[in-house]
Coordinates of all heavy atoms in Angstrom, one line a residue:
L1 N 60.4 63.5 141.5 CA 60.2 64.6 142.5 C 60.8 65.9 141.9 O 60.3 67.0 142.0 CB 60.9 64.3 143.8 CG 60.3 63.3 144.7 CD1 61.2 62.9 145.9 CD2 58.9 63.8 145.2
Q2 N 61.9 65.7 141.1 CA 62.5 66.9 140.5 C 61.6 67.5 139.5 O 61.4 68.7 139.4 CB 63.8 66.5 139.8 CG 64.5 67.6 139.1 CD 65.8 67.2 138.5 OE1 66.2 66.0 138.6 NE2 66.5 68.1 137.8
H3 N 60.9 66.6 138.7 CA 59.9 67.1 137.7 C 58.8 67.8 138.4 O 58.3 68.9 137.9 CB 59.4 66.0 136.8 CG 60.4 65.5 135.9 ND1 60.2 64.3 135.2 CD2 61.6 66.0 135.5 CE1 61.3 64.1 134.4 NE2 62.1 65.1 134.6
L4 N 58.3 67.2 139.5 CA 57.2 67.9 140.3 C 57.7 69.2 140.8 O 56.9 70.2 140.7 CB 56.8 66.9 141.4 CG 55.7 67.5 142.4 CD1 54.4 67.8 141.6 CD2 55.4 66.5 143.5
V5 N 58.9 69.3 141.4 CA 59.4 70.5 141.9 C 59.5 71.5 140.8 O 59.3 72.7 141.0 CB 60.7 70.3 142.7 CG1 61.3 71.6 143.0 CG2 60.5 69.5 143.9
E6 N 60.0 71.0 139.7 CA 60.2 71.9 138.5 C 58.8 72.5 138.1 O 58.7 73.7 137.8 CB 60.8 71.2 137.4 CG 61.2 72.0 136.2 CD 62.0 71.2 135.1 OE1 62.8 70.4 135.5 OE2 61.7 71.4 134.0
G7 N 57.8 71.7 138.1 CA 56.5 72.2 137.7 C 56.0 73.2 138.7 O 55.4 74.2 138.3
L8 N 56.2 72.9 140.0 CA 55.7 73.8 141.0 C 56.5 75.1 140.9 O 56.0 76.2 141.2 CB 55.9 73.2 142.4 CG 55.0 72.0 142.7 CD1 55.3 71.4 144.0 CD2 53.5 72.4 142.6
S9 N 57.8 75.0 140.6 CA 58.7 76.2 140.4 C 58.1 77.1 139.3 O 58.1 78.3 139.4 CB 60.1 75.8 140.1 OG 60.6 75.0 141.2
V10 N 57.7 76.5 138.2 CA 57.1 77.2 137.1 C 55.9 78.0 137.6 O 55.7 79.2 137.3 CB 56.8 76.3 135.9 CG1 55.9 77.1 134.9 CG2 58.0 75.7 135.3
V11 N 55.1 77.3 138.4 CA 53.8 78.0 138.9 C 54.2 79.1 139.8 O 53.7 80.3 139.7 CB 52.9 77.0 139.6 CG1 51.7 77.7 140.2 CG2 52.4 76.0 138.6
G12 N 55.2 78.8 140.7 CA 55.5 79.8 141.7 C 56.2 81.0 141.1 O 55.8 82.2 141.4
I13 N 57.1 80.8 140.2 CA 57.8 81.9 139.5 C 56.8 82.7 138.7 O 56.9 84.0 138.7 CB 59.0 81.4 138.7 CG1 60.1 80.8 139.6 CG2 59.6 82.5 137.8 CD1 61.2 80.1 138.8
S14 N 56.0 82.0 138.0 CA 55.0 82.7 137.2 C 54.1 83.5 138.0 O 53.7 84.7 137.6 CB 54.2 81.7 136.3 OG 55.0 80.9 135.5
Y15 N 53.7 83.0 139.2 CA 52.8 83.7 140.1 C 53.4 85.1 140.5 O 52.8 86.1 140.4 CB 52.4 82.9 141.3 CG 51.6 83.6 142.3 CD1 50.3 83.8 142.2 CD2 52.3 84.1 143.5 CE1 49.5 84.5 143.1 CE2 51.6 84.8 144.4 CZ 50.2 85.0 144.3 OH 49.5 85.6 145.2
Y16 N 54.6 85.0 141.0 CA 55.3 86.2 141.4 C 55.6 87.2 140.3 O 55.5 88.4 140.4 CB 56.6 85.9 142.2 CG 56.3 85.3 143.6 CD1 56.5 84.0 143.8 CD2 55.8 86.1 144.6 CE1 56.3 83.4 145.1 CE2 55.5 85.6 145.8 CZ 55.8 84.2 146.1 OH 55.5 83.7 147.3
A17 N 55.9 86.6 139.1 CA 56.2 87.5 138.0 C 54.9 88.2 137.5 O 55.0 89.4 137.3 CB 56.8 86.6 136.8
T18 N 53.8 87.5 137.4 CA 52.6 88.2 137.0 C 52.1 89.2 138.1 O 51.5 90.2 137.8 CB 51.5 87.1 136.8 OG1 51.3 86.3 137.9 CG2 51.8 86.3 135.5
A19 N 52.4 88.9 139.3 CA 52.0 89.8 140.4 C 52.8 91.1 140.3 O 52.2 92.2 140.4 CB 52.3 89.2 141.8
L20 N 54.1 91.0 140.0 CA 54.9 92.2 139.8 C 54.4 92.9 138.6 O 54.3 94.2 138.6 CB 56.4 91.8 139.6 CG 57.0 91.2 140.9 CD1 58.5 90.8 140.6 CD2 57.1 92.3 141.9
I21 N 54.1 92.2 137.5 CA 53.7 92.9 136.3 C 52.3 93.5 136.5 O 52.0 94.7 136.1 CB 53.6 91.9 135.1 CG1 55.0 91.4 134.7 CG2 52.9 92.5 133.9 CD1 55.0 90.2 133.7
G22 N 51.5 92.9 137.3 CA 50.1 93.4 137.6 C 50.3 94.7 138.4 O 49.5 95.7 138.1
H23 N 51.2 94.8 139.3 CA 51.4 96.0 140.1 C 51.9 97.1 139.1 O 51.5 98.3 139.2 CB 52.5 95.9 141.2 CG 52.0 95.0 142.3 ND1 50.8 95.4 143.1 CD2 52.4 93.9 142.9 CE1 50.6 94.5 144.0 NE2 51.6 93.6 143.9
V24 N 52.8 96.8 138.2 CA 53.2 97.8 137.2 C 52.1 98.3 136.4 O 51.9 99.5 136.1 CB 54.3 97.2 136.3 CG1 54.7 98.2 135.2 CG2 55.6 96.9 137.2
L25 N 51.2 97.4 135.9 CA 50.1 97.8 135.0 C 49.1 98.6 135.8 O 48.5 99.5 135.3 CB 49.5 96.5 134.4 CG 50.3 95.7 133.4 CD1 49.6 94.5 133.0 CD2 50.6 96.6 132.2
E26 N 48.9 98.2 137.1 CA 47.9 99.0 137.9 C 48.4 100.4 138.1 O 47.6 101.4 138.1 CB 47.7 98.3 139.2 CG 46.9 97.0 139.1 CD 46.8 96.3 140.5 OE1 47.4 96.8 141.5 OE2 46.2 95.2 140.6
G27 N 49.7 100.5 138.2 CA 50.3 101.9 138.3 C 50.1 102.7 137.1 O 49.9 103.9 137.1
G28 N 50.2 102.1 135.9 CA 50.1 102.8 134.7 C 48.7 102.9 134.2 O 48.4 103.6 133.2
E29 N 47.7 102.3 134.9 CA 46.3 102.4 134.5 C 45.8 103.8 134.6 O 44.9 104.3 133.8 CB 45.5 101.4 135.4 CG 44.1 101.3 134.9 CD 43.3 100.3 135.8 OE1 43.8 100.0 136.9 OE2 42.3 99.7 135.3
S30 N 46.3 104.6 135.6 CA 45.8 106.0 135.7 C 46.4 106.9 134.6 O 45.8 108.0 134.4 CB 46.2 106.5 137.1 OG 47.7 106.5 137.2
L31 N 47.5 106.5 134.0 CA 48.1 107.3 133.0 C 47.5 107.0 131.6 O 47.2 107.8 130.8 CB 49.6 107.1 132.9 CG 50.4 107.6 134.2 CD1 51.8 107.2 134.1 CD2 50.2 109.1 134.4
V32 N 47.3 105.7 131.4 CA 46.8 105.2 130.1 C 45.5 104.4 130.5 O 45.6 103.5 131.3 CB 47.8 104.3 129.4 CG1 47.2 103.9 128.1 CG2 49.1 105.1 129.1
H33 N 44.5 104.8 129.8 CA 43.2 104.2 130.1 C 43.1 102.8 129.5 O 43.1 102.7 128.3 CB 42.0 105.0 129.7 CG 42.0 106.4 130.4 ND1 41.5 106.5 131.7 CD2 42.3 107.6 130.0 CE1 41.6 107.7 132.1 NE2 42.1 108.5 131.0

C-alpha cells in the first residue's frame, strides 16, 4: 500500500507541479513567442 500511495503521490505531485509550471509558461507566452 505504501508503494501504491507513493506511486500515486508521484502522479499527484507531478500533476500539480506541471499545472503550476503551465500557468507560468502561459503567462510568459505573450512576452516570448
Side-chain angles (χ1 to χ4, degrees):
L1 288 173
Q2 181 181 355
H3 288 168
L4 177 61
V5 170
E6 187 175 317
L8 294 175
S9 298
V10 170
V11 173
I13 293 172
S14 300
Y15 173 77
Y16 286 108
T18 53
L20 290 174
I21 294 173
H23 289 302
V24 173
L25 292 176
E26 287 176 359
E29 190 178 17
S30 60
L31 299 176
V32 180
H33 295 286

